[in-house]
């Protein structure tokens, strides 16, 4: 079943008088439950593509459907609600809230959603357990290692049971062993819960672990969106 | 909501130095306004008592319609006759909030010790009623030297201290007062100085006298009075009672004009006008300081936490939510600042009470203690106001942050 459908997506950035064509017409379909890596050299448009799918940015032209809804037609508030319920984010720089403990960080998306409180804590604890951080729930982010922080971020991304998790270079700030473990963790969650994962990387060593590889170069998708 | 307060509080604590400076600014601002408010509260209270009790204005004064405008030209026409006085006294006396309604007459003329003479202004009062109006006030504020007015001594008068000393008269001394009667005849009466008193102001101390009501009437050769002074059981009821009495009296066919103590006390009005002005000035400065320091602090907070804002937006926090987050933080600063302010206020208040400083206000003849009241109600409203102000000052930068593009915010370092 189609989760994401992109038609002729273009994205231009304007830097003074020069125009940067970050995406030059992307057609892409991603189904429910897929585990997709977006791979390409620096500047190829990976971040731009993920931001569009994550509904935090808007395309210059073309159409984007998520769960059959055309994103452009949603108001900012509706789109924000949609993100809260249906999309989880994992950032390269982890982006945990520094004044909140690991547990509080994971609880945050549910609290934004407004779930009654008794659920929130338990759900968040369960997610932290899944990423192997049961012993670190009260730690503040700056008392955790990079790998642990990214695990907290993964727990946070999954806590609302989203349809889709987007991760822009989730391992770029981690050593290669930790990177493998993080991808492994994401892969496991994908298999167990059928959550769709899309992550970008330019580290070719991680690509063995994915089932679908989308290769981007200079704002275009090569080989019809599946390298494998 | 609780989580936003939690986040706000932790962020305030995280930036201890910056928050501290802001909190101190709010606290000092709060204490400055509140202490001054406490000071003028005490002053107004003193002035009110001094007007109602000391000046003997009572709470309400009833004049015949036209007296205030034309009474000087044709006094006889605009004074209350004896029969009118009786009816007013009965009607007003029935009102449940009225303690006393007493006729008075103001006279002026010359007072002499046999060798020199000088002008005087005198208030003719019924000694017994006058005691009621003065109440406990007379004893501890401006005591009369000598026996004072008495129903038993119809020609005993009280004199301003400076007037008595000009005339070289002491309690027990004798003199003469002269004036024209309402018909225009010259009239003179013997007086005995029954007491001297300090009017509290050098401008009136050498002119004022207080004489028994009947005595003043005989000097003017009349049975009338130019006013009826009314004392109430509670000054807060002044306005309401005025309206009620106006209805009652006009209903009974008595055309009159009722003035309140604060309308009549020129001194009260002037001091109040000046203090209100100074208060507005201080208040305005504090207003600006609080807004500027909160806008500054929150502006920095918003800037530092741009990436955090981007993250929260990505996680599904609406623009409104971002504004709320920072508004709560601003309100929190306002709240903590005013709590410190209250502490500061109470400390200064206690120190003033312990030290008991005095000062001589302009127009006063003796030093008065500097007293500052603690007025919880005003403090509460000031607190509410400053919290609201801080909240609004925080919303300004927060709204700007909430509107910015999520990707830009996330990319911010
Ligand atoms: N905000 C922006 N303003 C102008 N140009 C931009 C902006 N963001 C990205 N670009 C340009 O768009 C192109 C695609 O950038 P993008 O960040 O999507 O690439 P990427 O594949 O994620 O690169 P990297 O691997 O370095 O993260 C690049 O040429 C980049 O310089
Ligand atoms: Mg990128």
């Amino acid at each position: 079943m189609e989760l994401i459908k992109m038609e002729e997506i273009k994205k231009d950035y304007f830097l003074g008088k020069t125009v940067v064509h970050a995406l030059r017409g992307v057609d892409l379909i991603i189904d429910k439950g897929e585990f997709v890596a977006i791979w390409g050299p620096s500047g190829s448009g990976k971040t731009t593509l993920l931001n569009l799918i994550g509904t935090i940015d808007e395309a210059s032209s073309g159409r984007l459907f998520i769960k059959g809804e055309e994103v452009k037609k949603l108001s900012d508030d509706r789109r924000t609600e949609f993100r809260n319920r249906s999309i989880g984010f994992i950032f390269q720089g982890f982006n945990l809230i520094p004044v909140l403990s690991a547990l509080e960080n994971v609880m945050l998306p549910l609290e934004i959603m407004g779930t009654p409180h008794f659920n929130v804590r338990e759900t968040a604890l369960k997610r932290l357990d899944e990423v192997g951080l049961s012993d670190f729930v009260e730690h503040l982010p700056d008392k955790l290692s990079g790998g642990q922080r990214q695990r907290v971020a993964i727990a946070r991304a999954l806590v609302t049971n989203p349809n889709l998790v987007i991760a822009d270079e989730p391992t770029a700030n981690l050593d290669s062993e930790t990177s493998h473990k993080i991808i492994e963790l994401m892969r496991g969650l994908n298999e167990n819960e059928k959550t769709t994962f899309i992550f970008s990387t330019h580290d070719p060593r991680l690509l063995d672990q994915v089932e679908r590889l989308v290769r981007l170069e200079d704002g275009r998708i090569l080989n019809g969106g599946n390298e494998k | 909501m609780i989580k936003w307060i939690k986040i706000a509080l932790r962020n305030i604590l995280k930036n201890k130095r910056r928050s501290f400076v802001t909190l101190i600014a709010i606290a000092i601002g709060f204490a400055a306004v509140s202490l001054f408010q406490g000071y003028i509260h005490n002053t107004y209270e003193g002035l009110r008592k001094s007007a109602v009790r000391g000046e003997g204005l009572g709470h309400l004064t009833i004049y015949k319609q036209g007296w205030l405008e034309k009474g000087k030209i044709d006094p006889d026409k605009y004074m209350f006759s004896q029969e009118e006085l009786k009816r007013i006294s009965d009607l007003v006396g029935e009102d449940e909030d009225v303690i006393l309604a007493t006729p008075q007459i103001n006279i002026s003329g010359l007072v002499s010790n046999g060798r020199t003479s000088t002008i005087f202004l005198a208030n003719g009062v019924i000694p017994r009623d006058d005691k009621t109006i003065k109440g406990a006030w007379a004893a501890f504020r401006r005591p009369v030297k000598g026996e004072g007015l008495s129903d038993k001594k119809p020609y005993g008068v009280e004199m301003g201290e400076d007037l008595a000393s000009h005339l070289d008269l002491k309690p027990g001394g004798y003199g003469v007062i002269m004036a024209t009667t309402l018909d225009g005849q010259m009239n003179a009466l013997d007086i005995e100085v029954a007491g001297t008193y300090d009017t509290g102001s050098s401008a009136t101390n050498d002119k004022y006298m207080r004489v028994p009501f009947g005595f003043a009437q005989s000097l003017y050769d009349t049975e009338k009075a130019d006013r009826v002074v009314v004392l109430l059981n509670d000054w807060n009821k002044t306005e309401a009672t005025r309206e009620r009495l106006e209805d009652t009296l006009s209903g009974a066919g008595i055309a009159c004009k009722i003035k309140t103590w604060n309308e009549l006390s020129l001194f009260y009005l002037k001091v109040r006008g000046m203090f209100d002005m100074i208060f507005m000035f201080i208040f305005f400065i504090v207003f600006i300081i609080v807004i500027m320091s909160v806008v500054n602090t929150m502006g920095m907070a918003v800037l530092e936490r741009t990436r955090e804002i981007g993250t929260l937006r990505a996680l599904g926090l609406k623009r409104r939510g971002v504004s709320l987050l920072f508004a709560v933080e601003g309100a929190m600063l306002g709240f903590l600042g005013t709590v410190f302010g209250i502490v500061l206020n109470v400390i200064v208040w206690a120190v003033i009470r312990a030290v008991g400083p005095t000062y001589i206000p302009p127009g006063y003849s003796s030093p008065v203690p500097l007293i500052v009241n603690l007025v919880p109600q005003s403090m509460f409203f000031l607190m509410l106001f400053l919290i609201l102000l801080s909240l609004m000052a925080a919303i300004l930068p927060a709204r700007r942050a909430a509107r910015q593009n999520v990707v830009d915010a996330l990319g911010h370092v």
Side-chain angles (χ1 to χ4, degrees), chain A residues 13 15 20 22 40-49 168-169 202, chain B residues 408:
Chain A
Y13 291 109
L15 277 175
V20 181
S42 187
S44 57
K46 303 183 292 292
T47 299
T48 306
L49 184 68
D168 188 14
E169 312 217 23
H202 50 232
Chain B
D408 289 346

Side-chain angles (χ1 to χ4, degrees), chain A residues 51 56-57 76-77 80-81 83-84 89 91 93 95 97-101 104 108-109 111-112 156, chain B residues 3-4 6-7 10-11 14 307-308 310-320 405-407 410:
Chain A
N51 286 346
I56 53 177
D57 203 357
D76 187 77
D77 273 1
T80 307
E81 267 171 33
R83 267 203 305 277
N84 180 232
F89 283 90
F91 303 93
N95 289 18
I97 307 299
V99 297
L100 296 182
S101 69
E104 286 164 341
L108 200 55
E111 289 187 318
I112 291 173
R156 183 176 68 181
Chain B
K3 67 178 175 288
W4 303 131
K6 190 171 70 188
I7 294 179
R10 288 190 195 167
N11 274 308
K14 194 171 153 215
R307 212 156 77 105
E308 184 177 320
T311 307
L312 289 168
R313 294 275 290 127
L315 295 183
L317 189 63
K318 291 178 189 157
R319 291 192 168 133
R320 217 171 323 122
N405 178 290
V406 181
V407 174
L410 278 170

